[in-house]
Structure formats: C-alpha cells, structure tokens
Amino acid sequence: GQSLEQPSEVTAVEGAIVQINCTYQTSGFYGLSWYQQHDGGAPTFLSYNALDGLEETGRFSSFLSRSDSYGYLLLQELQMKDSASYFCAVKGDGGSQGNLIFGKGTKLSVKP
Amino acid sequence: KAGVTQTPRYLIKTRGQQVTLSCSPISGHRSVSWYQQTPGQGLQFLFEYFSETQRNKGNFPGRFSGRQFSNSRSEMNVSTLELGDSALYLCASSFDGSYEQYFGPGTRLTVT
C-alpha cells in the first residue's frame, strides 16, 4: 500500500520562506505531486517531481529524493494568499492510472 | 476552456437513502477520478473511470459505485447512506490519468 506523512500545521510570516516536508511509503513509485487547497475551494495542482532534484515554478519549488522517499514544497516570499492546505500525493498501484493517494495535508497560516 | 463542473453543489439526505452525484470533466479529458474528503480522513480515492471503464477502485464498500458515459461525464452513486458518508465529494479530470488533475468544486453531502 501507500502512505504519506506531512506536518499537520505550519505557521510563517509574510515575506518569509517555508518548507513543507513529505515522506512516503509506496510499493511502486511513479512520482510525487503537490496540490494547494484554500478553505472552501477545490485542490489545484502545483507541481510534480518524477526524478530527484528541485523543480522551480515561480515562488514555489518542489524537491524529491527517491532514495530517502522524501520530498518537500518550498514557498518563497510568502503572501497572505498562500494561506491554504498543501497536500503531497503519489500514484496508487498502476502508475498510468488516475488514482492519487494524498497525504493528510499541511495547513499553512501566513501571518502579517 | 470550461473547468470541471459538479452537480449538485450541496445535498442533504437521510440515512438509508441513496444519492447520485454528477461530474462533467474538462472537454477532451477521458479520465475522471472521484475522491471523498473529510476532516478526519482527508482526501481519499474512490474510483477512476477512463473511456467508460473503471480502471481502479479505492478501499470503499460496495455501496459506492460509479459510471462514465461516452461523453466522459461521470456519475457516482451511494446507496443506503450512513451518517459517516457526510463529506465533500470531489471529482477530478485529466487527459489520461496523469498527476496533474483538475478538480471540480465538489458536492457537499450531509447525511442526517
């Protein structure tokens, strides 16, 4: 089976940098993705890492280490609008199929 | 391009009843996945349909079922509703079941 662990809450101040970690256990690994969900909203896709290393998309970066079964999402120059829940996800068994397995989510609170 | 739509947005049902939820994916997307989101369990995968076939199923009882039509629209059905079925039901579409899935706004189901 698959399981993902991430911190339940993180607090940071506007303008700062925050890192949200995710460790995973999977029987087959096909990559790690990150989603953002604002309260009352739908999850939206942020990034995907299939290979080791850092992927950068604007203020957001995502890192993967397959040997450590570990990844993180890095948010820079935090803004109030970044207050949301962030989920890491892996594919279930059968990497070509659309069955994402999500972590429990990390609630990020950005303070002024 | 229109996003993923789900109907109805809110639903209140009584224990023992059944319910049908509908999802219209983004035009051209053939994969539709369904997820249940609750505060306690987080986002959990229900099932995925691709070209009218169920490709994968999560760990939910047989009371949860679904189908997909030739135009890729999908429905999920929950029979003999239980209080614990109260949740936000999200559907997500992608072209082929990729990591980048597009979520609809969800249907908030309350079972009383």
Side-chain angles (χ1 to χ4, degrees), chain A residues 31 35 37 42 48 91 97-99, chain B residues 33 35 37 56 97 99 101 104:
Chain A
Y35 281 77
Q37 185 179 29
Y48 167 62
K91 282 285 189 77
Q97 299 170 10
N99 52 334
Chain B
S33 298
Y35 299 88
Q37 186 171 31
N56 219 315
Y99 263 99
Q101 297 188 7

Side-chain angles (χ1 to χ4, degrees), chain A residues 12-52:
Chain A
V13 296
E14 211 172 1
I17 299 173
V18 72
Q19 178 174 310
I20 299 173
N21 299 319
C22 174
T23 56
Y24 58 85
Q25 287 185 315
T26 64
S27 52
F29 182 72
Y30 307 95
L32 184 72
S33 62
W34 290 91
Y35 281 77
Q36 177 193 61
Q37 185 179 29
H38 288 97
D39 283 347
T44 57
F45 173 81
L46 290 176
S47 68
Y48 167 62
N49 294 68
L51 303 174
D52 292 351

Side-chain angles (χ1 to χ4, degrees), chain B residues 23 69 76 87 101 111:
Chain B
C23 172
F69 302 95
M76 68 164 280
Q101 297 188 7
V111 182

Side-chain angles (χ1 to χ4, degrees), chain B residues 80-91:
Chain B
T80 320
L81 283 166
E82 300 177 0
L83 295 179
D85 297 333
S86 294
L88 180 67
Y89 290 88
L90 294 156
C91 80

Side-chain angles (χ1 to χ4, degrees), chain A residues 29-33 35 37 40-45 48 87 89-104, chain B residues 9 31 33 35 37 39-45 47-48 55-56 88 90 94 96-106 108:
Chain A
F29 182 72
Y30 307 95
L32 184 72
S33 62
Y35 281 77
Q37 185 179 29
T44 57
F45 173 81
Y48 167 62
F87 298 86
V90 295
K91 282 285 189 77
D93 294 328
S96 63
Q97 299 170 10
N99 52 334
L100 290 176
I101 308 301
F102 287 88
K104 289 290 179 71
Chain B
R9 293 293 310 279
S31 168
S33 298
Y35 299 88
Q37 186 171 31
Q41 298 300 317
L43 270 162
Q44 292 186 287
F45 172 75
F47 30 65
E48 185 222 4
R55 279 206 298 198
N56 219 315
L88 180 67
L90 294 156
S94 64
D96 57 359
S98 70
Y99 263 99
E100 185 171 356
Q101 297 188 7
Y102 295 82
F103 283 79
R108 173 74 62 186

